[in-house]
Each structure stands twice: as C-alpha cells, then as structure tokens.
Amino acid sequence: MHQYDFHTLSPIDFERLVRDLLQEELAVTLESFKAGKDSGIDFRYCPDRTHTLIVQCKHYVGSGYTQLYRDLSKNELPKVKLLRPDRYIVATSVGLNPPQKDKIKKLFSACVKSSCDVLGKDDINNLLRKYPHIERQTMKLWLFSLPILQEVLHSQIHNFSKFEIDRIHEHAKLYVQNGSLEEAIRILETHNFCIIAGMPGIGKTVLAEMLVLHYSRSGYELVKIIENISEAWAVSRSELKRVFYYDDFLGQTSFRDKLHKNEDQRLIDFIRYVRRSSGAKLILTTREYILKQARQQYERLDREGLDDQKYIIDLAKYTRLNRAWILYNHIYFSDLPKDYRLAMLADRNYLRIIDHGNYSPRIVQLMTEHARIRDVEPTEYVTFFLTSMRNPLAIWDHAFRNHLSQASRNLLVVLASMPSQVLLSDLEKAFYSYNLAYARQYHATIGPQDVRSALKELSGDFLVVDKEGQDFLVQYQNPSVADFLKEYLCTSAPEMVILARSVAYFEQFRRLWSWQGSDSGRHTFIQLFKTEPELSVLLMRNLLYSGTCRLMNVVGTRGDRRKDRWPIPIEERAADVAGLIADSFTIFLPLLIDVVQEVSHRLQKGMGDRNGVGQLIEQTRSIRESVPDTLVDFVKVGKQFLMTTPVWTDDLWPLCRIIEANPELFSAKDFETIQGFLKEVADKVAYGYHGLDSDALREEAEALEWFAVIAGVDLNEEINTIRCHADEDEDSRSEDSEPIEYTSSKFRDCDVASNDYIASLFSTLDVRPMNKLRE
C-alpha cells in the first residue's frame, strides 16, 4: 500500500476517512454531525450516560506540529474540559514523533488514556494497511494519490498525453463520488460497454476517466481512441485485459464529425466484439442530443438497441448536496485569492450557484480558475459567475473578443475546423491559408511569426501544446472552447466564408460540412457551390489530393508509440464527392469522372483501399442523374477488385455490404466465386487460427455467420469449430482477479440538504488559496 500524506484531501474528506477507519478499529458506530463549528466533537460514541468517546479530527495543509499543538491547547482543551469525555481520540494528518504524541497526551491527560489515542499521519496509514477495503471504498483517496496514478497510467497506455494524465489527476482531486459511478460499473460488468450521454459540461468525461482508473487498477491496459474506431480494432486482438475509452465518439458538435461511410457498422461490430469478450471493456461518451440524432439517422445504430446499455448523466443525479460538494471542492483546491472566496461566502452566495437552473460542473471548474476571471473584480465575481451560468459560452466570448490578438483568433477559428488533435506543422499550413485569405479580405497586416506568437498567447488558457517526436501536438484546453468557436463561426458569416474558401485539408471540409443550420459550414459551402462553381471545383480538386491532418497511434518495431498521420484514401475522398453529386451538386461530376478513371487504373494494378472502394461503389450507385459510362465501368472494376482473393474476414466486409445493398450487381457465377472465398477464409480461421485468442475467434465466427447469410453459403461446420477453439482458449486462461468494489459513504450524503446544512459545510472552507496553504 502507498504512504499517503493526505495533503490533497479537504477537511471533510479527511474526517470521513478517519470516521470509517475508527469504526472498523473500534467495532462501533460513531455518531456523525454536520460540518462547521463542532463544539469540540467531530464524532461521538455514547452507549450510555456514563461512557462517552469523543473523536476530534485536525487536518492541516502545510502547517506542522507547532500549529496543531497551539490549536489543540487554545481551542480544543477548553471544550474538552466542559465535555469531560471518558475517552478522547485526536486524529491528525500531521506526522508525529513519540515525544510529540506524549505531549498531546499530557495536554489531555484526563481523557487521553494512551498515546495510541493520538493518531498521526503514520498511524492513519497503518490503519489503511489493516483495513484495505476502506482504501478501496474511499475511491477519492487513491484516485487522488499521484504515486498510484503514475503507477497506473504509466504502465500500459495508448494515446494518453502528459496533459491528459495531469488532467485526470486534477479531475480525481475534485471528483465527488455519487451513484453514477456504481451504476456505470454495474452496466460495464453486465454488458462490457457503457455509453455515458448527457448535456455538455455535465461531467461525462470525468466519470469516464474515473471508470478508466477503476479498471486500470484492476489490471486492465488502457487504450484511448482518438479519431476512429479502427484504432481499437488495431489493438483488439490480444490476450491482455483492455479498457477502451472513446470520448465524444459521435463527435463534439455533430455525429457527422465521426460517423463517415460505414463507420456506424464498424462501431457496431466492435461493440458486438466487446459484448462477447471476457477481457475487454468499452467506455463511450457523447452528448445526448447527438446520440438521438445518430439513432434517428442510422438505422443500424437504432436497431442495435443501445438504450439498455446507455447510462445518461442528468442533473437529477446531482443532488443538492452533490452540487454543494462539487463547488466546495473546486473552491477549496483552487488558486482563487482570498477576496474571491470571501465574496462567495458572503450572504451565502454559494447557494445561488448551487441552486441555479444551469448548474454545470464544467462552469464551476472554469469559474474557479483565477487565470480565467483575473479581470473580474472580487465584488463582481458572483455576478459574473451567475451570468456565465445563464450563458456558458460567454466565459470564452469575453476573452476571445477582448483579450486576444487577431492572429490568435484566426488560429482558433482554423483549429475549429480540424480534428481534436493535430500536429503543429499541419495546423501551421491550415493557419497560413486562412490568415492570408483574412488579410486579403480585410487588408490586415500579417507576419511569418503570427502562428508562433498566437500559440504563445493561447497556450494554457485556450490550448495545450505537447511535444510529439520532432513536432508538437495541439489540442483544446477544454471541450467548451470548441463549442464556443462553432457558435461564433455560425454567427459570423464573413469569417465562415473565408474559412470555407481557404480550407487546406479534406478533414476541414468534412468537419465544416457536418455543421448544419443557417449560416453553418454546410450552408456556407452550399452557397459557395451555387455562386462560385469554378472556384468550388478547383477547391475540391485540391482537397482530393491534399495531405492529411488526422492522426493515429503507431507502434514502432521496438514497441515505442508515436502519433502519425492517418491518410484518407483517394477512394474514400472520391466517395464523398460522389455523395455531393447525389445531393444534386452536379458541378463536381467531371471531377469525379477524372478521379474515378485514376482509381480504376490503380485497381486494375491491384492497388486500392478495399473499404474506400466499397464506399465509392455505394455512393456512385446513389447518383440519381444519368450516370456516365465511366462510372458504370468503375462499378464493374471495383466489384472485381473486391472479389480478388480475400485473405481475411476483414477483406470480406466491403464486398458483403455491397451484396446486401445491391445484390443485382452480382451474377450467379459471382455468387459461386464469393461462396468459394468464404469457404477458404472460414477454413483458414477454423483449422489454422494463427494464435487468435478467444475474443478474436468469436469475432471471426460472428462475422462469418453474417457473411454466410448474405452470400447464401453453409459455414456451420467451420463456425462451430471456431467457437470450440474459442472455448478451449478461454478455459486455458487463468481466472481473472476479483474486481474492486466501491461503496458510497453514507456520511453526510443525504439527498436533501438544508441551507444551514450546506452553510455548515462551507464554514470549513479556508479563505486562503491552496498554493498559500502549502507554503
């Protein structure tokens, strides 16, 4: 067990821990009292009128024995003389040596029977070793411990940056445990995957991170999915226990951000794999309205029946006391100066925050960061806090419009159109394109150092920049920045037009096209296509052959991991253009014909992306206008390419999807050939399964089962053999370790908290900032 110093626990957190440990050690139930002025009593055991045990907790941050002894002698000793308990226990987070314990015993000689009743930091750690279940159920204790987090997060992780690890540590410190954690764990234990959905800023990411830590401490390897579910497939076939974490899996602003062609099916396939797995967990987060939109748009997602696995965080789950605890923790551990804290305490202003209809943990987080409100006078702090709750994006709007240079604003606008994580070199290219277009439009002065000066200005408050090999990784400091920028752009038509005309990457077009509504990215492109067709075609031609800025995790030959660009195949880009033509933008038809001819030549040489070809065939078939012979010929060439000796089940997916959607494209002879391929692949998996583990084998069996139905071939023998191999592999594994269980402390966790009850909690709030307390 780790040695805790408890300096990161609030006074009430520390009291809870001492209460739980002493109840175990003494085998009694201690009376608990509301926070605040305690008359010398934190806990009491009084079985009858003649026997009384009193426990007093003293939690000091940065103060040592001298301050502790002064407080005990000046403030607590007079109270104890009045109370006259039979036994008095002092518990403190201060480390004590034997002479110091003896001196405290002497101070309370009438009721401290032994120096063993003076518990210092080391004694409390000893009790944690004696009662490890207290450590487990007191989740915040070990979540908040930096050594444990380093041990967990620096062991087996994929795609976690230093910034994200530091952020998880910060979130763990502020986390207020409630029923949502236990419920989410129950869902994961039952179904192996969980969708955490809710409004922006409600705490989805924090809950997901706590779940990640829960399973990592149970021996699971961590895998964070950044851009696409294909990243999970790339590392799924392993005997290791793994927890996959996909934040905003449907995009931050629209499901079209993430669910490109057939992505819904790949996601469903992975969910099915996880459901059957004995060693995988999948944690997904999304905004509730985006999940509803996606289920309405994508029949396959709706048909999957995700409601049973969906765990929605809504404000009803945050009781009044939960809200109070969240605000208390954020203020207690913040760097807010004394005057701001006093402003919150004055006239019980914290109650106005706690009871506000737009209460949100994210707003609380932002509004308790001194750097973000440094221009607000302490006398105006509460008013500004309440204004920000009425309009959350105003937090960013004020700084964006009043504090940033034009170069910084331009950089943020460009980043809004790019993936959530980009390399600085790619951001620079997109920035230069937009910055130059902006300067021409408004006759503004620009310079070669604009991007560097903008990054320097934005780092910390708006952006996070991490070293990534020979480059740098850039991402938003907070997801709400992206929300603000989308809203800003959709109400600033001139800048949206400049951005649409200057996009440098295909991913930028995709993201802006996914924004719907008046003055949105899609609306802007539609107007551009209608009013400037020649420019539109030239722009799209450049995008078809542009570089890529989306990233994936790459494992080197020595096991080292790094970020690298993840190209979008030309076939997949062409499929998007075909989709535009299907939406009546026929100006792109000549361009599509040119690209399709190039793709056809590549396919005849055996070069091409199978998934992209499948998407291009599907989109070409959806064009309602008279289809040129070039496109008709491509469908034949593409079909033949997909029928070229598939090696694995992954090779069969694009082909079988086309068969399902367009069976008329295939002759009886084609079906006979495809059935032969299926038999060969099934035999290869069943009788030479290449060391696949039980989860991967079951995944192969289910895929082959679906293929067999689509192609009309009997694969029952091979599928049964594969499943037998899966059972044998599973039986040979050692039993999993027992899962860690958590129980919420009932101490002061009533669902309804009175004003006085909450006031007693905030009365323990030290008005000195945390950085001053540590000095």
Side-chain angles (χ1 to χ4, degrees):
M1 195 201 81
H2 292 270
Q3 187 77 6
Y4 297 102
D5 60 16
F6 310 109
H7 79 279
T8 49
L9 295 184
S10 71
I12 310 302
D13 292 328
F14 182 71
E15 287 182 21
R16 288 181 170 198
L17 177 63
V18 170
R19 186 282 316 263
D20 291 344
L21 289 170
L22 287 180
Q23 286 190 150
E24 288 288 339
E25 178 69 5
L26 303 175
V28 299
T29 299
L30 295 171
E31 290 181 86
S32 302
F33 304 93
K34 68 180 183 180
K37 302 300 182 181
D38 57 22
S39 300
I41 305 173
D42 283 323
F43 310 111
R44 181 176 66 185
Y45 176 64
C46 187
D48 54 56
R49 292 184 179 181
T50 60
H51 296 87
T52 303
L53 163 66
I54 289 176
V55 180
Q56 181 64 229
C57 298
K58 291 296 177 183
H59 181 42
Y60 287 91
V61 178
S63 301
Y65 171 76
T66 302
Q67 178 62 37
L68 169 67
Y69 189 82
R70 183 184 302 120
D71 183 34
L72 290 173
S73 57
K74 180 181 179 181
N75 298 318
E76 301 305 328
L77 183 58
K79 300 175 188 176
V80 171
K81 288 180 177 179
L82 290 174
L83 292 169
R84 300 174 64 185
D86 296 287
R87 186 179 178 186
Y88 188 70
I89 295 177
V90 176
T92 178
S93 54
V94 175
L96 301 174
N97 59 35
Q100 290 170 337
K101 295 181 73 170
D102 290 340
K103 189 174 180 181
I104 293 174
K105 174 183 175 295
K106 184 178 180 181
L107 181 67
F108 298 101
S109 57
C111 50
V112 173
K113 306 300 183 183
S114 163
S115 60
C116 293
D117 284 348
V118 180
L119 304 177
K121 178 182 67 176
D122 296 320
D123 301 302
I124 296 172
N125 273 291
N126 286 338
L127 288 175
L128 282 169
R129 292 188 187 93
K130 187 174 181 180
Y131 304 109
H133 66 283
I134 298 295
E135 180 192 21
R136 290 197 300 269
Q137 77 179 31
T138 311
M139 189 178 185
K140 185 176 177 181
L141 180 66
W142 65 264
L143 280 179
F144 200 176
S145 168
L146 183 58
I148 289 179
L149 279 174
Q150 289 175 333
E151 175 187 297
V152 168
L153 293 176
H154 292 172
S155 52
Q156 296 292 333
I157 60 173
H158 300 254
N159 279 353
F160 280 86
S161 67
K162 180 183 183 299
F163 161 72
E164 288 168 313
I165 292 173
D166 291 342
R167 186 186 66 187
I168 290 176
H169 176 236
E170 188 66 21
H171 286 171
K173 176 175 64 177
L174 301 171
Y175 181 62
V176 174
Q177 189 172 340
N178 56 58
S180 60
L181 180 71
E182 287 85 352
E183 178 66 10
I185 290 174
R186 182 192 64 78
I187 292 171
L188 282 163
E189 291 301 312
T190 303
H191 304 286
N192 282 349
F193 91 103
C194 175
I195 298 178
I196 304 172
M199 60 184 284
I202 200 59
K204 302 182 296 294
T205 299
V206 174
L207 175 59
E209 289 170 348
M210 299 307 105
L211 291 169
V212 164
L213 291 177
H214 163 76
Y215 282 103
S216 66
R217 203 174 185 217
S218 298
Y220 282 73
E221 180 178 285
L222 310 184
V223 180
K224 183 176 182 183
I225 304 165
I226 301 295
E227 185 66 26
N228 188 287
I229 199 65
S230 299
E231 298 172 39
W233 281 118
V235 294
S236 63
R237 294 182 179 183
S238 168
E239 294 185 1
L240 295 173
K241 295 191 299 183
R242 281 182 168 151
V243 54
F244 297 89
Y245 167 39
Y246 197 175
D247 197 21
D248 281 322
F249 80 104
L250 293 175
Q252 288 191 344
T253 56
S254 165
F255 63 88
R256 294 176 181 83
D257 287 353
K258 289 285 181 74
L259 290 189
H260 301 308
K261 307 299 183 298
N262 289 322
E263 174 69 2
D264 58 328
Q265 184 60 56
R266 286 194 287 271
L267 178 61
I268 288 171
D269 293 341
F270 192 74
I271 289 174
R272 288 173 177 168
Y273 155 72
V274 169
R275 275 176 169 165
R276 299 187 310 272
S277 172
S278 61
K281 306 291 181 187
L282 175 63
I283 301 168
L284 306 164
T285 73
T286 186
R287 300 179 181 191
E288 174 69 6
Y289 71 90
I290 296 180
L291 180 60
K292 289 179 179 177
Q293 291 173 356
R295 292 182 69 240
Q296 291 171 359
Q297 177 75 18
Y298 289 91
E299 181 183 350
R300 284 180 287 207
L301 283 179
D302 189 48
R303 196 168 58 229
E304 192 65 14
L306 299 180
D307 280 347
D308 288 341
Q309 286 77 40
K310 183 178 63 173
Y311 187 69
I312 302 175
I313 304 176
D314 60 34
L315 285 175
K317 296 294 183 183
Y318 287 121
T319 65
R320 194 170 190 242
L321 189 56
N322 287 151
R323 295 179 180 210
W325 267 109
I326 291 170
L327 179 60
Y328 176 92
N329 275 356
H330 277 81
I331 296 174
Y332 181 86
F333 291 110
S334 75
D335 59 351
L336 282 176
K338 176 180 178 180
D339 288 345
Y340 292 87
R341 293 168 178 249
L342 290 173
M344 184 61 71
L345 293 173
D347 300 322
R348 296 186 176 182
N349 280 323
Y350 46 80
L351 295 176
R352 301 169 67 189
I353 307 297
I354 293 164
D355 295 329
H356 198 284
N358 289 343
Y359 179 95
S360 160
R362 179 178 293 166
I363 299 175
V364 170
Q365 172 203 338
L366 295 174
M367 294 306 299
T368 51
E369 295 175 0
H370 183 225
R372 208 164 306 284
I373 49 96
R374 60 183 179 270
D375 293 335
V376 179
E377 290 296 325
T379 53
E380 299 296 323
Y381 175 51
V382 174
T383 300
F384 185 65
F385 203 133
L386 293 168
T387 300
S388 299
M389 283 191 148
R390 286 192 293 271
N391 179 17
L393 299 185
I395 300 171
W396 301 109
D397 185 78
H398 178 76
F400 182 83
R401 295 179 188 273
N402 300 301
H403 295 164
L404 298 182
S405 65
Q406 188 59 53
S408 293
R409 290 198 291 271
N410 286 354
L411 187 69
L412 289 173
V413 164
V414 171
L415 189 57
S417 66
M418 302 181 78
S420 57
Q421 292 184 336
V422 292
L423 294 175
L424 175 57
S425 54
D426 295 333
L427 177 58
E428 284 178 328
K429 178 180 176 181
F431 171 79
Y432 289 143
S433 178
Y434 176 83
N435 208 35
L436 180 60
Y438 185 93
R440 287 172 175 169
Q441 179 69 28
Y442 294 106
H443 307 290
T445 302
I446 59 175
Q449 296 302 314
D450 279 358
V451 68
R452 299 290 172 174
S453 60
L455 279 174
K456 185 176 181 179
E457 185 178 7
L458 294 170
S459 292
D461 284 349
F462 282 84
L463 301 180
V464 174
V465 182
D466 281 323
K467 191 82 171 83
E468 179 61 42
Q470 299 302 310
D471 210 323
F472 290 89
L473 192 68
V474 183
Q475 58 188 318
Y476 289 121
Q477 191 270 346
N478 191 292
S480 60
V481 182
D483 295 336
F484 160 71
L485 288 168
K486 180 187 175 184
E487 181 175 283
Y488 171 79
L489 280 168
C490 289
T491 56
S492 181
E495 286 172 276
M496 181 71 88
V497 171
I498 295 172
L499 183 59
R501 292 165 62 99
S502 63
V503 290
Y505 293 100
F506 200 79
E507 292 92 330
Q508 289 182 276
F509 165 72
R510 275 184 167 177
R511 185 166 293 258
L512 293 176
W513 183 255
S514 73
W515 295 357
Q516 300 192 49
S518 59
D519 297 324
S520 66
R522 176 171 294 204
H523 173 82
T524 302
F525 273 117
I526 288 174
Q527 295 304 310
L528 186 66
F529 296 163
K530 290 179 178 179
T531 59
E532 300 185 69
E534 292 184 4
L535 174 64
S536 299
V537 172
L538 177 61
L539 177 65
M540 191 58 64
R541 184 180 294 276
N542 290 337
L543 291 177
L544 279 171
Y545 297 100
S546 67
T548 190
C549 62
R550 69 177 184 177
L551 301 175
M552 66 183 301
N553 205 52
V554 177
V555 180
T557 54
R558 297 181 179 179
D560 55 307
R561 298 185 179 94
R562 57 184 173 81
K563 303 282 186 186
D564 203 354
R565 295 176 180 86
W566 183 10
I568 302 176
I570 186 65
E571 297 87 355
E572 193 176 316
R573 300 181 190 217
D576 281 12
V577 175
L580 293 175
I581 297 169
D583 287 339
S584 301
F585 297 109
T586 54
I587 58 171
F588 297 113
L589 188 57
L591 174 60
L592 179 64
I593 290 173
D594 289 345
V595 177
V596 161
Q597 286 177 333
E598 177 186 334
V599 170
S600 294
H601 290 316
R602 283 165 42 85
L603 298 184
Q604 289 168 352
K605 295 178 181 179
M607 299 183 299
D609 179 79
R610 299 181 76 92
N611 284 317
V613 170
Q615 293 172 25
L616 183 52
I617 291 174
E618 289 183 53
Q619 290 297 330
T620 299
R621 295 282 296 173
S622 68
I623 296 176
R624 292 182 294 276
E625 305 293 329
S626 55
V627 180
D629 291 343
T630 303
L631 301 186
V632 175
D633 293 341
F634 162 74
V635 171
K636 297 176 183 177
V637 173
K639 183 190 76 172
Q640 193 61 43
F641 173 77
L642 294 178
M643 290 178 61
T644 304
T645 318
V647 178
W648 300 107
T649 51
D650 287 348
D651 300 330
L652 291 164
W653 280 107
L655 180 61
C656 288
R657 288 188 183 116
I658 293 175
I659 295 173
E660 183 183 37
N662 300 281
E664 70 279 2
L665 291 177
F666 298 87
S667 65
K669 186 175 180 180
D670 289 335
F671 272 102
E672 186 177 326
T673 302
I674 293 167
Q675 289 168 356
F677 289 150
L678 284 170
K679 277 282 189 183
E680 290 178 15
V681 172
D683 282 345
K684 184 182 297 184
V685 177
Y687 303 111
Y689 52 101
H690 305 283
L692 299 178
D693 65 17
S694 59
D695 295 334
L697 287 167
R698 289 197 177 95
E699 169 202 328
E700 297 284 323
E702 185 161 319
L704 288 167
E705 201 166 43
W706 183 70
F707 296 159
V709 172
I710 295 296
V713 60
D714 183 4
L715 299 177
N716 287 333
E717 181 181 338
E718 292 86 350
I719 290 170
N720 288 336
T721 301
I722 293 171
R723 285 180 172 146
C724 285
H725 288 316
D727 292 339
E728 291 168 1
D729 178 78
E730 196 162 85
D731 290 341
S732 67
R733 293 190 189 188
S734 59
E735 294 184 1
D736 292 338
S737 59
E738 293 184 9
I740 298 175
E741 297 181 359
Y742 301 106
T743 58
S744 295
S745 173
K746 302 302 180 185
F747 175 50
R748 299 173 184 164
D749 281 350
C750 55
D751 288 341
V752 179
S754 67
N755 290 353
D756 288 343
Y757 199 94
I758 293 174
S760 72
L761 168 66
F762 276 81
S763 70
T764 67
L765 187 64
D766 200 305
V767 295
R768 293 172 295 170
M770 177 55 68
N771 56 351
K772 297 295 183 184
L773 290 172
R774 290 173 182 165
E775 291 177 357

